[in-house]
């Protein structure tokens, strides 16, 4: 009886050890799968952001030309500056995506050009969607994964889109009241992060990335 009891005890211990190993392996496998899933989400988010920023850059360049046609030179300058900022965001996202070893298929931006007043409203809506919904979700996913460079690139874009929305909102209000006479005539864009200022609010050092004013891209 004692021998049988010892054998039964040893078998039970062995079974517990085997089960523990299996549980550990399953847990590690689940964690790895979750990590890979988040990586895939971040890569997809980068791709979507790149397409969005490149589309915005091309669209705003077209909106700039439309504003010129309608005699709104200051709004045309605003759109030219923001177009450049969006291109910088796309470039930053592309660099991070490349470091992840991921490539994306080429695409052709599509958009519609209407009147300058309608274009401004569409721009406000688009920028607001990005900084209230799209980029916060992308930043959260990147932080969850520990992808600091992606989170930083998304954050720079997110914070800049807030400023773009404010600039467009102010321009639309001015346009509706008295054309674009009161719209600022000059703008500055940080070449590193895309941060954007008008002539009255430009800083000597970028408050997003620390770049000096001498390096800013001027639009007048």
């Amino acid at each position: 009886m004692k021998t049988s009891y010892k054998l039964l005890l040893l078998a039970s211990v062995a079974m517990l050890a085997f089960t523990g190993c299996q549980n550990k392996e399953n847990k590690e496998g689940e964690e790895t799968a979750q990590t890979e899933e988040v990586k895939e989400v971040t890569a997809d988010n980068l791709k979507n952001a790149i397409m969005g920023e490149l589309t915005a850059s091309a669209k705003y360049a077209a909106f700039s030309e439309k504003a010129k046609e309608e005699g709104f030179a200051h709004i045309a300058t605003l759109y030219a500056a923001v177009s450049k900022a969006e291109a910088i965001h796309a470039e930053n996202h592309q660099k991070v995506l490349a470091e992840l070893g991921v490539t994306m298929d080429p695409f052709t931006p599509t958009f519609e050009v209407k009147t300058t007043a309608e274009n401004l409203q569409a721009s406000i809506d688009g920028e607001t969607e990005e900084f209230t919904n799209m980029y916060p979700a992308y930043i959260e996913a990147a932080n969850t994964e520990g992808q600091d460079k992606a989170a930083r690139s998304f954050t720079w874009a997110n914070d800049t889109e807030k400023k773009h929305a404010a600039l467009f909102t102010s321009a639309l209000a001015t346009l509706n009241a008295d054309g674009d006479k009161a719209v600022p005539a000059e703008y500055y864009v940080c070449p590193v992060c895309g941060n954007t200022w008008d002539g009255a609010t430009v800083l000597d050092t970028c408050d997003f990335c620390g770049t000096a004013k001498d390096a800013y891209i001027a639009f007048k």
Side-chain angles (χ1 to χ4, degrees), residues 41-60:
V41 168
T42 299
D44 286 342
N45 288 344
L46 283 165
K47 291 179 182 180
N48 290 334
I50 290 167
M51 290 188 289
E53 297 293 353
L54 289 178
T55 297
S57 181
K59 177 171 62 178
Y60 291 157

Side-chain angles (χ1 to χ4, degrees), residues 71-91:
F72 303 128
H74 294 178
I75 293 177
T77 303
L78 167 59
Y79 268 124
V82 176
S83 174
K84 180 60 178 179
E86 307 295 18
I88 291 170
H89 294 160
E91 182 179 355

Side-chain angles (χ1 to χ4, degrees), residues 3 13 77 80 96 100 113 126 131-132 136 145 154 158-159 164 174 185:
T3 302
V13 171
T77 303
V96 178
L100 292 177
V113 179
F131 74 75
T132 57
E145 181 188 354
F154 289 148
N158 183 72
D159 292 345
H164 290 170
T174 300

Side-chain angles (χ1 to χ4, degrees), residues 1-215:
M1 291 297 291
K2 291 183 179 180
T3 302
S4 298
Y5 175 77
K6 289 180 180 180
L7 290 175
L8 179 61
L9 180 61
L10 289 173
S12 298
V13 171
M15 180 60 71
L16 287 172
F18 177 73
T19 302
C21 290
Q22 277 194 320
N23 289 338
K24 182 178 179 181
E25 290 176 358
N26 290 339
K27 184 177 180 181
E28 290 177 349
E30 289 174 359
E31 290 177 350
T32 300
Q34 290 173 355
T35 300
E36 291 300 325
E37 182 179 355
V38 174
K39 286 182 179 179
E40 184 177 350
V41 168
T42 299
D44 286 342
N45 288 344
L46 283 165
K47 291 179 182 180
N48 290 334
I50 290 167
M51 290 188 289
E53 297 293 353
L54 289 178
T55 297
S57 181
K59 177 171 62 178
Y60 291 157
F63 287 0
S64 178
E65 291 302 316
K66 183 62 176 180
K68 287 180 184 178
E69 292 176 10
E70 295 184 350
F72 303 128
H74 294 178
I75 293 177
T77 303
L78 167 59
Y79 268 124
V82 176
S83 174
K84 180 60 178 179
E86 307 295 18
I88 291 170
H89 294 160
E91 182 179 355
N92 287 338
H93 296 339
Q94 287 173 322
K95 288 178 181 177
V96 178
L97 188 67
E99 289 185 11
L100 292 177
V102 179
T103 58
M104 59 182 293
D105 297 329
F107 82 106
T108 301
T110 59
F111 51 86
E112 186 176 5
V113 179
K114 298 183 178 180
T115 68
T116 295
E118 291 173 310
N119 292 340
L120 282 168
Q121 185 59 62
S123 301
I124 294 167
D125 294 341
E127 300 292 319
T128 301
E129 167 61 24
E130 286 187 347
F131 74 75
T132 57
N133 295 311
M134 188 185 85
Y135 275 124
Y138 290 1
I139 292 168
E140 181 179 3
N143 283 331
T144 298
E145 181 188 354
Q147 291 291 341
D148 295 339
K149 291 183 179 180
R152 181 181 64 183
S153 189
F154 289 148
T155 298
W156 282 347
N158 183 72
D159 292 345
T160 305
E161 309 307 12
K162 294 178 183 178
K163 300 181 72 173
H164 290 170
L167 289 169
F168 290 143
T169 299
S170 178
L172 180 58
T174 300
L175 179 66
N176 289 335
D178 190 28
D180 78 336
K181 296 177 183 178
V183 174
E186 61 183 73
Y187 298 88
Y188 296 85
V189 175
C190 176
V192 175
C193 66
N195 196 357
T196 309
W197 305 265
D198 60 32
T201 62
V202 63
L203 301 177
D204 290 334
T205 302
C206 178
D207 50 332
F208 293 172
C209 68
T211 299
K213 182 179 178 180
D214 290 346

